[in-house]
Amino acid sequence: MTLYGSLFDHGLTRIDPEKAHHLGFRAVRAARPVLALRRTPGTPVSALGLTFPNVLGVAAGFDKNAVGIDALGALGFGHVEVGTVTGEPQPGNDKPRLFRLPADRAVVNRMGFNNDGAEAVARRLAARGRRPGPVLGVNIGKTKVVPEDKAVEDYAKSARLLAPHADYLTVNVSSPNTPGLRDLQAVEKLEPILTAVRDVVGDLPLLVKIAPDLADDDVRAVGDLALAVGLDGIIATNTTISRAGLRTEPAEVEAVGAGGLSGRPLTERSCAVLRLLRDRVGPGLTLVGVGGITTVADAQARLDAGADLLQAYTAFIYEGPAWPRRITQGLQ
Ligand SMILES: Cc1cc2nc3c(=O)[nH]c(=O)nc-3n(C[C@H](O)[C@H](O)[C@H](O)COP(=O)(O)O)c2cc1C
């Protein structure tokens, strides 16, 4: 077992998961000057008209407010997708809202887009300035109190504020923790959002992030729409609302309650969605594979299924700060 593994099993699991996240993230940020002395691992990848230092990025949700981009880059991630950022600041759902299912190497979250809002995050990114390091993606979502018929304006507002500071922008319509958000994945609702955001961001690479719970035909329909509205890529996938096939005791799963499940149990479906998309859209769109990637073999399988780039969140929690280097070096 790694040092982090025993620390995780004997220390971190005793701390509330959200507190552990903040503690761990603070430690990584404090260690940045030392970490930054090491060379970024892996092989550069060309995608979205950009050069990524390597194939693996931090998925959205880890750095919601863009406070640790360079520290995450120093750990070996080639890109960081900050957010989800919403048009207005919001506190997210009541705590507790983050739960570990260690027997499944999984996490359930119902954070509910807790974030500082587009204006504050844009100011923070402006203060950081453009600099070498990880490629910076910004993931935007709908403010909870904004009604569905005002969603287009809300996404457009975030895009206007954040696009000037981002290398690429992601429209998130797939988190299960904002009521009604995933309904926006229906093509007739998604099309006006993507068209409006495309108008705002001009040539900036634009992606959409989808849920693993879409039926296969709906996944293909999003692929067709992405081509029709001139998106640059698709991120597959977000967390799932399914609880099928878990090893964790059903009573424990039930006690955790609603939320999006991530980590190991997601691997197979996320990979299948990625493959479906690649078959549908052909080689032209950038596909980002995310969901349950834990081992070098998982990462390689996602690339073989057609991914150009990879992201992860949950394995990073379980495996620790050395994990991004292990994966990127392992892929070499
Ligand atoms: C605690 C937590 C918070 C998340 N927050 C967001 C978010 O704000 N926006 C988003 O698009 N995805 C969010 N995600 C989903 C991840 O970006 C990723 O798509 C998902 O967890 C599957 O990858 P994984 O199995 O490697 O964790 C979150 C995931 C977790 C575990």
PDB file of all heavy atoms in Angstrom, residues 42-66:
ATOM      1  N   GLY A  42       4.548  12.921 -18.894  1.00  0.00           N
ATOM      2  CA  GLY A  42       3.712  12.532 -20.027  1.00  0.00           C
ATOM      3  C   GLY A  42       4.117  13.189 -21.325  1.00  0.00           C
ATOM      4  O   GLY A  42       5.100  13.913 -21.415  1.00  0.00           O
ATOM      5  N   THR A  43       3.299  12.904 -22.346  1.00  0.00           N
ATOM      6  CA  THR A  43       3.576  13.358 -23.705  1.00  0.00           C
ATOM      7  C   THR A  43       2.551  14.416 -24.089  1.00  0.00           C
ATOM      8  O   THR A  43       1.352  14.226 -23.841  1.00  0.00           O
ATOM      9  CB  THR A  43       3.411  12.149 -24.667  1.00  0.00           C
ATOM     10  OG1 THR A  43       4.166  11.067 -24.132  1.00  0.00           O
ATOM     11  CG2 THR A  43       3.874  12.472 -26.061  1.00  0.00           C
ATOM     12  N   PRO A  44       2.975  15.537 -24.694  1.00  0.00           N
ATOM     13  CA  PRO A  44       2.005  16.563 -25.104  1.00  0.00           C
ATOM     14  C   PRO A  44       0.971  16.025 -26.101  1.00  0.00           C
ATOM     15  O   PRO A  44       1.268  15.127 -26.904  1.00  0.00           O
ATOM     16  CB  PRO A  44       2.894  17.629 -25.750  1.00  0.00           C
ATOM     17  CG  PRO A  44       4.242  17.424 -25.168  1.00  0.00           C
ATOM     18  CD  PRO A  44       4.362  15.937 -24.932  1.00  0.00           C
ATOM     19  N   VAL A  45      -0.220  16.582 -26.012  1.00  0.00           N
ATOM     20  CA  VAL A  45      -1.329  16.165 -26.875  1.00  0.00           C
ATOM     21  C   VAL A  45      -1.896  17.409 -27.566  1.00  0.00           C
ATOM     22  O   VAL A  45      -2.140  18.423 -26.917  1.00  0.00           O
ATOM     23  CB  VAL A  45      -2.475  15.545 -26.022  1.00  0.00           C
ATOM     24  CG1 VAL A  45      -3.672  15.185 -26.895  1.00  0.00           C
ATOM     25  CG2 VAL A  45      -1.985  14.329 -25.258  1.00  0.00           C
ATOM     26  N   SER A  46      -2.115  17.327 -28.873  1.00  0.00           N
ATOM     27  CA  SER A  46      -2.778  18.421 -29.597  1.00  0.00           C
ATOM     28  C   SER A  46      -4.263  18.113 -29.682  1.00  0.00           C
ATOM     29  O   SER A  46      -4.653  17.057 -30.186  1.00  0.00           O
ATOM     30  CB  SER A  46      -2.219  18.525 -31.020  1.00  0.00           C
ATOM     31  OG  SER A  46      -0.867  18.870 -30.952  1.00  0.00           O
ATOM     32  N   ALA A  47      -5.061  19.018 -29.170  1.00  0.00           N
ATOM     33  CA  ALA A  47      -6.528  18.859 -29.236  1.00  0.00           C
ATOM     34  C   ALA A  47      -7.152  20.233 -29.074  1.00  0.00           C
ATOM     35  O   ALA A  47      -6.574  21.106 -28.420  1.00  0.00           O
ATOM     36  CB  ALA A  47      -7.017  17.928 -28.121  1.00  0.00           C
ATOM     37  N   LEU A  48      -8.310  20.430 -29.650  1.00  0.00           N
ATOM     38  CA  LEU A  48      -9.045  21.698 -29.556  1.00  0.00           C
ATOM     39  C   LEU A  48      -8.209  22.871 -30.058  1.00  0.00           C
ATOM     40  O   LEU A  48      -8.407  24.008 -29.641  1.00  0.00           O
ATOM     41  CB  LEU A  48      -9.472  21.972 -28.091  1.00  0.00           C
ATOM     42  CG  LEU A  48     -10.379  20.942 -27.423  1.00  0.00           C
ATOM     43  CD1 LEU A  48     -10.510  21.244 -25.932  1.00  0.00           C
ATOM     44  CD2 LEU A  48     -11.756  20.920 -28.082  1.00  0.00           C
ATOM     45  N   GLY A  49      -7.227  22.596 -30.915  1.00  0.00           N
ATOM     46  CA  GLY A  49      -6.350  23.662 -31.399  1.00  0.00           C
ATOM     47  C   GLY A  49      -5.344  24.118 -30.349  1.00  0.00           C
ATOM     48  O   GLY A  49      -4.696  25.151 -30.513  1.00  0.00           O
ATOM     49  N   LEU A  50      -5.221  23.349 -29.252  1.00  0.00           N
ATOM     50  CA  LEU A  50      -4.325  23.706 -28.144  1.00  0.00           C
ATOM     51  C   LEU A  50      -3.302  22.590 -27.967  1.00  0.00           C
ATOM     52  O   LEU A  50      -3.520  21.464 -28.425  1.00  0.00           O
ATOM     53  CB  LEU A  50      -5.127  23.828 -26.837  1.00  0.00           C
ATOM     54  CG  LEU A  50      -6.291  24.818 -26.830  1.00  0.00           C
ATOM     55  CD1 LEU A  50      -7.215  24.525 -25.645  1.00  0.00           C
ATOM     56  CD2 LEU A  50      -5.752  26.243 -26.741  1.00  0.00           C
ATOM     57  N   THR A  51      -2.213  22.920 -27.270  1.00  0.00           N
ATOM     58  CA  THR A  51      -1.276  21.857 -26.888  1.00  0.00           C
ATOM     59  C   THR A  51      -1.421  21.601 -25.401  1.00  0.00           C
ATOM     60  O   THR A  51      -1.157  22.480 -24.580  1.00  0.00           O
ATOM     61  CB  THR A  51       0.172  22.259 -27.220  1.00  0.00           C
ATOM     62  OG1 THR A  51       0.241  22.543 -28.615  1.00  0.00           O
ATOM     63  CG2 THR A  51       1.136  21.132 -26.887  1.00  0.00           C
ATOM     64  N   PHE A  52      -1.873  20.405 -25.068  1.00  0.00           N
ATOM     65  CA  PHE A  52      -2.004  19.998 -23.667  1.00  0.00           C
ATOM     66  C   PHE A  52      -0.687  19.341 -23.244  1.00  0.00           C
ATOM     67  O   PHE A  52      -0.164  18.486 -23.964  1.00  0.00           O
ATOM     68  CB  PHE A  52      -3.152  18.996 -23.512  1.00  0.00           C
ATOM     69  CG  PHE A  52      -4.524  19.592 -23.693  1.00  0.00           C
ATOM     70  CD1 PHE A  52      -4.964  20.022 -24.945  1.00  0.00           C
ATOM     71  CD2 PHE A  52      -5.377  19.744 -22.615  1.00  0.00           C
ATOM     72  CE1 PHE A  52      -6.220  20.583 -25.106  1.00  0.00           C
ATOM     73  CE2 PHE A  52      -6.641  20.298 -22.759  1.00  0.00           C
ATOM     74  CZ  PHE A  52      -7.066  20.726 -24.007  1.00  0.00           C
ATOM     75  N   PRO A  53      -0.145  19.707 -22.063  1.00  0.00           N
ATOM     76  CA  PRO A  53       1.128  19.118 -21.620  1.00  0.00           C
ATOM     77  C   PRO A  53       1.072  17.588 -21.538  1.00  0.00           C
ATOM     78  O   PRO A  53       2.075  16.911 -21.733  1.00  0.00           O
ATOM     79  CB  PRO A  53       1.345  19.718 -20.233  1.00  0.00           C
ATOM     80  CG  PRO A  53       0.533  20.974 -20.214  1.00  0.00           C
ATOM     81  CD  PRO A  53      -0.632  20.743 -21.137  1.00  0.00           C
ATOM     82  N   ASN A  54      -0.083  17.048 -21.226  1.00  0.00           N
ATOM     83  CA  ASN A  54      -0.300  15.598 -21.279  1.00  0.00           C
ATOM     84  C   ASN A  54      -1.801  15.343 -21.387  1.00  0.00           C
ATOM     85  O   ASN A  54      -2.587  16.292 -21.443  1.00  0.00           O
ATOM     86  CB  ASN A  54       0.350  14.875 -20.078  1.00  0.00           C
ATOM     87  CG  ASN A  54      -0.279  15.282 -18.751  1.00  0.00           C
ATOM     88  OD1 ASN A  54      -1.503  15.362 -18.632  1.00  0.00           O
ATOM     89  ND2 ASN A  54       0.551  15.559 -17.749  1.00  0.00           N
ATOM     90  N   VAL A  55      -2.157  14.070 -21.382  1.00  0.00           N
ATOM     91  CA  VAL A  55      -3.529  13.703 -21.729  1.00  0.00           C
ATOM     92  C   VAL A  55      -4.527  13.838 -20.564  1.00  0.00           C
ATOM     93  O   VAL A  55      -5.734  13.921 -20.771  1.00  0.00           O
ATOM     94  CB  VAL A  55      -3.493  12.246 -22.288  1.00  0.00           C
ATOM     95  CG1 VAL A  55      -3.380  11.222 -21.153  1.00  0.00           C
ATOM     96  CG2 VAL A  55      -4.665  11.932 -23.166  1.00  0.00           C
ATOM     97  N   LEU A  56      -4.017  13.905 -19.324  1.00  0.00           N
ATOM     98  CA  LEU A  56      -4.896  13.759 -18.151  1.00  0.00           C
ATOM     99  C   LEU A  56      -5.180  15.101 -17.461  1.00  0.00           C
ATOM    100  O   LEU A  56      -4.250  15.823 -17.096  1.00  0.00           O
ATOM    101  CB  LEU A  56      -4.236  12.811 -17.138  1.00  0.00           C
ATOM    102  CG  LEU A  56      -5.015  12.538 -15.850  1.00  0.00           C
ATOM    103  CD1 LEU A  56      -6.318  11.787 -16.135  1.00  0.00           C
ATOM    104  CD2 LEU A  56      -4.159  11.737 -14.854  1.00  0.00           C
ATOM    105  N   GLY A  57      -6.463  15.375 -17.248  1.00  0.00           N
ATOM    106  CA  GLY A  57      -6.853  16.600 -16.551  1.00  0.00           C
ATOM    107  C   GLY A  57      -7.676  16.323 -15.301  1.00  0.00           C
ATOM    108  O   GLY A  57      -8.143  15.196 -15.079  1.00  0.00           O
ATOM    109  N   VAL A  58      -7.827  17.363 -14.489  1.00  0.00           N
ATOM    110  CA  VAL A  58      -8.719  17.274 -13.323  1.00  0.00           C
ATOM    111  C   VAL A  58     -10.121  17.614 -13.785  1.00  0.00           C
ATOM    112  O   VAL A  58     -10.347  18.678 -14.368  1.00  0.00           O
ATOM    113  CB  VAL A  58      -8.365  18.315 -12.234  1.00  0.00           C
ATOM    114  CG1 VAL A  58      -9.126  18.005 -10.955  1.00  0.00           C
ATOM    115  CG2 VAL A  58      -6.903  18.386 -11.983  1.00  0.00           C
ATOM    116  N   ALA A  59     -11.072  16.726 -13.497  1.00  0.00           N
ATOM    117  CA  ALA A  59     -12.462  16.955 -13.902  1.00  0.00           C
ATOM    118  C   ALA A  59     -13.075  18.098 -13.096  1.00  0.00           C
ATOM    119  O   ALA A  59     -12.618  18.432 -11.998  1.00  0.00           O
ATOM    120  CB  ALA A  59     -13.263  15.672 -13.689  1.00  0.00           C
ATOM    121  N   ALA A  60     -14.133  18.677 -13.651  1.00  0.00           N
ATOM    122  CA  ALA A  60     -14.828  19.780 -12.973  1.00  0.00           C
ATOM    123  C   ALA A  60     -15.348  19.325 -11.619  1.00  0.00           C
ATOM    124  O   ALA A  60     -15.708  18.164 -11.422  1.00  0.00           O
ATOM    125  CB  ALA A  60     -15.990  20.252 -13.837  1.00  0.00           C
ATOM    126  N   GLY A  61     -15.393  20.272 -10.690  1.00  0.00           N
ATOM    127  CA  GLY A  61     -15.918  19.994  -9.354  1.00  0.00           C
ATOM    128  C   GLY A  61     -14.829  19.983  -8.308  1.00  0.00           C
ATOM    129  O   GLY A  61     -15.102  20.241  -7.139  1.00  0.00           O
ATOM    130  N   PHE A  62     -13.596  19.689  -8.721  1.00  0.00           N
ATOM    131  CA  PHE A  62     -12.507  19.646  -7.735  1.00  0.00           C
ATOM    132  C   PHE A  62     -12.097  21.068  -7.357  1.00  0.00           C
ATOM    133  O   PHE A  62     -11.953  21.388  -6.186  1.00  0.00           O
ATOM    134  CB  PHE A  62     -11.301  18.874  -8.284  1.00  0.00           C
ATOM    135  CG  PHE A  62     -10.302  18.559  -7.204  1.00  0.00           C
ATOM    136  CD1 PHE A  62     -10.383  17.366  -6.501  1.00  0.00           C
ATOM    137  CD2 PHE A  62      -9.315  19.465  -6.861  1.00  0.00           C
ATOM    138  CE1 PHE A  62      -9.496  17.083  -5.468  1.00  0.00           C
ATOM    139  CE2 PHE A  62      -8.426  19.198  -5.836  1.00  0.00           C
ATOM    140  CZ  PHE A  62      -8.512  18.000  -5.131  1.00  0.00           C
ATOM    141  N   ASP A  63     -11.900  21.906  -8.375  1.00  0.00           N
ATOM    142  CA  ASP A  63     -11.508  23.303  -8.130  1.00  0.00           C
ATOM    143  C   ASP A  63     -12.637  24.199  -8.637  1.00  0.00           C
ATOM    144  O   ASP A  63     -12.544  24.818  -9.697  1.00  0.00           O
ATOM    145  CB  ASP A  63     -10.184  23.608  -8.845  1.00  0.00           C
ATOM    146  CG  ASP A  63      -9.654  24.990  -8.491  1.00  0.00           C
ATOM    147  OD1 ASP A  63     -10.287  25.678  -7.654  1.00  0.00           O
ATOM    148  OD2 ASP A  63      -8.619  25.397  -9.047  1.00  0.00           O
ATOM    149  N   LYS A  64     -13.697  24.244  -7.857  1.00  0.00           N
ATOM    150  CA  LYS A  64     -14.914  24.934  -8.323  1.00  0.00           C
ATOM    151  C   LYS A  64     -14.695  26.426  -8.514  1.00  0.00           C
ATOM    152  O   LYS A  64     -15.337  27.049  -9.341  1.00  0.00           O
ATOM    153  CB  LYS A  64     -16.050  24.717  -7.327  1.00  0.00           C
ATOM    154  CG  LYS A  64     -16.642  23.313  -7.385  1.00  0.00           C
ATOM    155  CD  LYS A  64     -17.761  23.133  -6.393  1.00  0.00           C
ATOM    156  CE  LYS A  64     -18.307  21.723  -6.377  1.00  0.00           C
ATOM    157  NZ  LYS A  64     -19.270  21.436  -7.446  1.00  0.00           N
ATOM    158  N   ASN A  65     -13.793  27.014  -7.727  1.00  0.00           N
ATOM    159  CA  ASN A  65     -13.652  28.470  -7.716  1.00  0.00           C
ATOM    160  C   ASN A  65     -12.324  28.961  -8.262  1.00  0.00           C
ATOM    161  O   ASN A  65     -11.945  30.107  -8.038  1.00  0.00           O
ATOM    162  CB  ASN A  65     -13.859  28.984  -6.285  1.00  0.00           C
ATOM    163  CG  ASN A  65     -15.309  28.836  -5.861  1.00  0.00           C
ATOM    164  OD1 ASN A  65     -16.207  29.218  -6.602  1.00  0.00           O
ATOM    165  ND2 ASN A  65     -15.523  28.255  -4.701  1.00  0.00           N
ATOM    166  N   ALA A  66     -11.598  28.083  -8.949  1.00  0.00           N
ATOM    167  CA  ALA A  66     -10.340  28.477  -9.603  1.00  0.00           C
ATOM    168  C   ALA A  66      -9.315  29.020  -8.610  1.00  0.00           C
ATOM    169  O   ALA A  66      -8.724  30.061  -8.837  1.00  0.00           O
ATOM    170  CB  ALA A  66     -10.621  29.507 -10.710  1.00  0.00           C
TER     171      ALA A  66
END
